[in-house]
Amino acid sequence: MSSRPPKSLLTYAVLYLIFLYAPVILLPLFAFNDSAIIALPLSGFTFHWFGLLWDTKALHEALYNSLLIAVVTAIGSTTLGIFAARAAARYEFPGKRGIVGFIMVPLVLPEIIVGVALIVVLIQLGLSLSAWTVIIGHVLICTPFSIAILQSAFNNMDRSLEEASMDLGESKIGTFFRVILPLVTPGIISSLLISFTISLDEFIIAFFLTGTDVTLPVYIWGQLRFPARLPAIMALGFLMVSLSFFLLLTAEYFRRRANRLTGNHTRSDNGIFQ
Amino acid sequence: MKTPQKINDQIIAIEGVKKNFGDVTALDGVSLNIREGEFFSLLGPSGCGKTTLLRMISGFDSPSIGSVYIGGSDMTNVPPNERPTNMVFQSYAIFPHLNVAENVGYGLKKQKLPNDEINRRVEEALALVDLEGFGARESHALSGGQRQRVALARALIMKPKVLLLDEPLSALDKKLRETMQSELRKLQRTVGITFVLVTHDQEEALTMSDRIAVMFDGKIAQLDTPEGLYKRPKTKRVASFIGVMNFIPAKVVASTKTKLSLEVEFLGKINVTASNKIKPGDKITVGIRPEMLTILYGETDKADNVFSGMIVSASYYGDMTYYEVELKNTDINVMVSMRNTSGRPVLLTGTTARVGWGCESITVFDG
Amino acid sequence: MRQESPVGKGPATRWRKPRFMPSMSAGGWHGLALISPPFAYSLLMLAAPLLLVFLLSMWTQNYLDLDRTFTMANYREAASEKLYQVLMIRSVVISVIVTIVTVLLAYPIAYYIAFYGGKRKAMWLLLITIPFWTSYLIRVFLWKVILGYNGVLNGSLIGMGFIEEPLTFILYNANAVVITLAHAWAPFAILPIFVSISRIDTSLLEAARDLGDGPLRRFLRVTLPLSMPGVVAATLIVFIPTVGDYVTPRLLGGTDGLMIANMIQIQFGKANNAPLGSALAVSAMVIVASISITFVLLNRRFLRAKG
């Protein structure tokens, strides 16, 4: 079936890619455009909007909050993910499908529901909203992604590697540190980067749970109402895309390396959708 | 039943071992002794329990009932890292993040030996498996045969009392497999360690082993030397698993102390060596190996018993030709193998042939 | 003659249960222990809160106090109030349209990559995911820039002489929401369909060709039914979260593009009526779940009828 594709299908593929890329291509155009109005035609080249970002204090606070939340979320969801992925990949126990399925539920739950559920609890408990409440929500939605990534890392690992280590006199803990951990480290890095990126970009839950510790997307949401702030937001968006791009490429590199290390070449693509 | 001559000759004793995985019975009462320094094989089709038994010796599985003794001490509940056994895994289980020397030295590093000694012993072990100078090689750059040698070196460096091999040759192509068979045999003689091999390949087991335990359905069907298994299979199932055997129904007509007189269906009367279990009137089966049957080329060729039939198919193997012959006036087909010596042209399908055999080549099965 | 082992004489012992049969292996306990931290987290942070949302939806908000007597009043209000009905129906309709459009647009791409991607499959998949490594908010905003009255699309079309007046039916209405969401969910639709198509054994297609099926019949009788699991996954992955979106409707939907999630957000925010918001959220979840389950069941029956 890998003969030449019909012309109509190829044309469609190209048009579809244009559709997919249309918004992203505009981002750098307007980020460097020397005009306060976001519209074509472009008027000139400027770094002005980036300079404006440098001078906006509220933005820096939002950035700090977002980074803090993203780092803690990444560590939290990856830690939970390691437990769940190892259990799912290596052991059989009653109710396994149900338990794993339940942990994966946020993947198909509208984010607003997660936001609503958590805010209800926090209000009832009388807790005030802060960066920590956002972290709770973000860990919830990032853990399924961490599990998916780590599970493929754990699954791909030949079980006889662990047995070989035990057979050669190593203890269970020694085996974990000398064999299992080195082999899934790329998967762990990949999981950290992905959950960091998801948390950094997440808006809906953050908007519900953020309180006074505004995150970057919530800050952007506030700015979208003011046309004068938009070019700077374009510049900010451009920076964020560049960062996400870099992080996700790094994550992808590590995920592939994880698959290569664990000796599985055939299942190296498709990532979380296996 | 064979028993070892001396008790302290044994390196492994397995006593009444049963293993259930849920409702599945993997091992159903296995007892056996493995002698020090022998090359022992567990042979059987997949699912017969041979791998479970090996994993029980290595400590990866524990018996539901029964005990495992290694070197005289009870090892039934001792974890694998505390047993004097080492294993060569079917997938070789080479650590992908370590190079060859680090793989081979993995177990020694745990023992906290000085680096000099580890390096020296790794070099020795690599030399033993003909991999001198491969230490710095990355493990993913190894061929299948090299991976196997690394796995062997990694296990042997631990100086185990018993080396366990789980289908170690099944991932290799035919040529390499045959080379490795003889190398493994030589290696075993060199190091003098007891080898326990699990395989489903009867040819592999026959060529390499001192003794073989044939397993079916979680039980040992027969434990014998390769020659004993081939010449004196105790059941029809063992007989057809080890090589090829023709089965023909027969009835016992008379018996003396030394001879049985049989009436073989369609073929007439023959006399064979007596077996104490079988009495006149019993319905039995006789088994004949294909190479014990001969196609008589000339009118002058003679045999104890002769019958005629028609060649249904002929498979040419170079040195040998295998014929399937339909016996005249019956629906019984027998396999006949003939060495292709001069004066023996390959016969065509449809040719009528006279087939002869000698009485001493017949095995009698009850039922 | 037969070698008998000391234990297990004869067939009688063969089926006997062993004396000691642990209810679960040691590995089972190990697995349960390992999974308990993430499981506990989900129970505490998801199951318990959802339960509380359910309870709250049957309570009443009196300004600052909460009346904890059980009542179905919130559900009655959610069901009878015209505005909520309109928003709920619109959310479902828009989500269904978005899902259909997204999956229909995605299928040919997934098909193309699976069958004609060759060695560059991974590169194609990467190409498809790159645009989505942008902040969701900014992507939605960029669609506003593209579709706006003075936007990029109108500007280009006028510049090229296709139209003289800017098109107005593409912003601040449901159309804009559908376009933007169909874009936003593209990779989530493409990837599962791609996976299920690439799992199809090509020898089945060759067999169908051998039996005289033309390209269309081959597609309808082999490829499509076998790729249905991917289509179902894609449908659910797109449909469920779409119902709960409130960014796109807010930014692009205008007044007749607002959806139920916007109203839920308002109830928890400005309107300060969390119980009513909860009732709306629970209703939305129940509706989404029943539509999803019906869809999965219908699809299963359809496939069985075909097979």
Side-chain angles (χ1 to χ4, degrees), chain A residues 198-239:
Chain A
I198 292 173
S199 168
L200 202 62
D201 272 352
E202 202 286 329
F203 168 69
I204 292 181
I205 291 174
F207 188 58
F208 263 83
L209 302 175
T210 194
T212 49
D213 298 341
V214 170
T215 69
L216 206 51
V218 175
Y219 171 79
I220 293 174
W221 175 258
Q223 301 297 299
L224 288 178
R225 272 179 287 166
F226 309 108
R229 305 268 174 82
L230 289 179
I233 294 299
M234 291 290 114
L236 178 61
F238 178 72
L239 289 179

Side-chain angles (χ1 to χ4, degrees), chain C residues 176-218:
Chain C
V177 175
V178 171
I179 294 174
T180 306
L181 288 176
H183 178 266
W185 291 105
F188 295 90
I190 294 172
L191 289 174
I193 300 175
F194 162 78
V195 170
S196 68
I197 294 182
S198 41
R199 278 189 190 149
I200 296 175
D201 185 352
T202 46
S203 63
L204 288 176
L205 290 167
E206 278 153 21
R209 187 204 298 249
D210 217 37
L211 296 170
D213 277 358
L216 186 64
R217 279 174 71 84
R218 273 207 304 275

Side-chain angles (χ1 to χ4, degrees), chain A residues 72-119:
Chain A
V72 179
T73 298
I75 295 169
S77 67
T78 302
T79 310
L80 291 178
I82 290 174
F83 280 103
R86 170 81 176 156
R90 176 69 159 72
Y91 297 100
E92 287 307 321
F93 47 90
K96 175 174 159 181
R97 275 178 66 105
I99 292 175
V100 175
F102 176 66
I103 298 172
M104 301 298 269
V105 154
L107 218 48
V108 289
L109 205 62
E111 286 179 357
I112 190 168
I113 301 290
V114 176
V116 161
L118 284 172
I119 201 166

Side-chain angles (χ1 to χ4, degrees), chain B residues 7 27 30 43-44 54 67 97 124 136 149 158 194 200 203 211 214 230 239 243 250 269 287 294 298 318 329 337:
Chain B
I7 284 298
L27 288 177
V30 170
L43 172 67
L54 191 78
S67 316
H97 58 301
E124 276 175 24
R149 287 163 198 264
M158 303 301 291
T194 312
H200 65 271
E203 205 180 298
R211 289 194 308 152
V214 180
Y230 192 81
K269 270 183 195 158
T294 320
N329 300 329
S337 67

Side-chain angles (χ1 to χ4, degrees), chain A residues 145 148-149 152 156 194 252 255-256 259 264-274, chain C residues 113-114 120-126 129 187-188 190-199:
Chain A
F145 287 94
I149 293 163
S152 93
N156 288 347
I194 296 265
E252 180 64 12
R255 195 178 64 77
R256 275 160 201 253
N259 281 340
N264 198 315
H265 306 273
T266 48
R267 286 174 56 190
S268 60
D269 28 23
N270 325 340
I272 59 169
F273 289 99
Q274 303 184 342
Chain C
I113 299 172
R120 275 169 297 182
K121 281 193 179 91
M123 189 205 76
W124 269 100
L125 292 175
L126 199 68
T129 37
F188 295 90
I190 294 172
L191 289 174
I193 300 175
F194 162 78
V195 170
S196 68
I197 294 182
S198 41
R199 278 189 190 149

Side-chain angles (χ1 to χ4, degrees), chain C residues 16-299:
Chain C
R16 202 177 61 197
K17 287 238 161 147
R19 275 162 298 173
F20 173 66
M21 183 85 174
S23 56
M24 191 163 52
S25 65
W29 287 113
H30 209 119
L32 268 183
L34 266 177
I35 201 130
S36 55
F39 185 43
Y41 190 84
S42 287
L43 281 178
L44 218 64
M45 298 302 175
L46 188 66
L50 284 178
L51 195 70
L52 192 60
V53 168
F54 186 64
L55 286 176
L56 187 65
S57 71
M58 291 186 289
W59 295 341
T60 328
Q61 183 86 33
N62 292 325
Y63 301 102
L64 291 175
D65 301 327
L66 205 55
D67 182 358
R68 287 202 169 84
T69 42
F70 280 95
T71 166
M72 295 302 281
N74 294 316
Y75 287 98
R76 272 197 296 277
E77 192 179 346
S80 58
E81 190 75 42
K82 189 85 181 141
L83 176 61
Y84 305 144
Q85 285 179 5
V86 169
L87 286 178
M88 192 71 85
I89 292 170
R90 186 190 290 152
S91 296
V92 171
V93 170
I94 288 183
S95 298
V96 168
I97 296 172
V98 166
T99 308
I100 293 172
V101 170
T102 311
V103 171
L104 281 183
L105 287 178
Y107 197 98
I109 287 293
Y111 183 90
Y112 175 82
I113 299 172
F115 282 143
Y116 302 106
K119 283 177 186 163
R120 275 169 297 182
K121 281 193 179 91
M123 189 205 76
W124 269 100
L125 292 175
L126 199 68
L127 260 183
I128 276 161
T129 37
I130 284 173
F132 300 92
W133 299 353
T134 325
S135 159
Y136 175 56
L137 270 184
I138 290 177
R139 244 184 301 140
V140 174
F141 178 75
L142 285 166
W143 274 108
K144 190 172 167 176
V145 172
I146 294 173
L147 300 173
Y149 189 79
N150 292 319
V152 175
L153 186 64
N154 276 327
S156 318
L157 289 176
I158 293 173
M160 288 187 283
F162 285 113
I163 52 172
E164 288 175 5
E165 286 290 301
L167 303 172
T168 52
F169 64 89
I170 47 174
L171 190 63
Y172 297 125
N173 56 29
N175 291 338
V177 175
V178 171
I179 294 174
T180 306
L181 288 176
H183 178 266
W185 291 105
F188 295 90
I190 294 172
L191 289 174
I193 300 175
F194 162 78
V195 170
S196 68
I197 294 182
S198 41
R199 278 189 190 149
I200 296 175
D201 185 352
T202 46
S203 63
L204 288 176
L205 290 167
E206 278 153 21
R209 187 204 298 249
D210 217 37
L211 296 170
D213 277 358
L216 186 64
R217 279 174 71 84
R218 273 207 304 275
F219 175 77
L220 289 178
R221 288 177 44 165
V222 182
T223 312
L224 189 61
L226 287 177
S227 61
M228 269 326 259
V231 173
V232 171
T235 305
L236 296 180
I237 286 178
V238 176
F239 175 72
I240 297 172
T242 301
V243 179
D245 188 27
Y246 68 83
V247 173
T248 306
R250 211 20 215 291
L251 282 178
L252 299 174
T255 44
D256 62 335
L258 286 183
M259 295 179 21
I260 192 67
N262 300 90
M263 183 50 68
I264 296 173
Q265 194 257 315
I266 288 168
Q267 293 300 336
F268 277 93
K270 275 182 232 155
N272 190 26
N273 192 346
L276 182 58
S278 300
L280 289 174
V282 172
S283 312
M285 265 200 298
V286 169
I287 291 171
V288 168
S290 31
I291 293 176
S292 305
I293 291 168
T294 314
F295 172 72
V296 170
L297 290 180
L298 278 180
N299 180 67

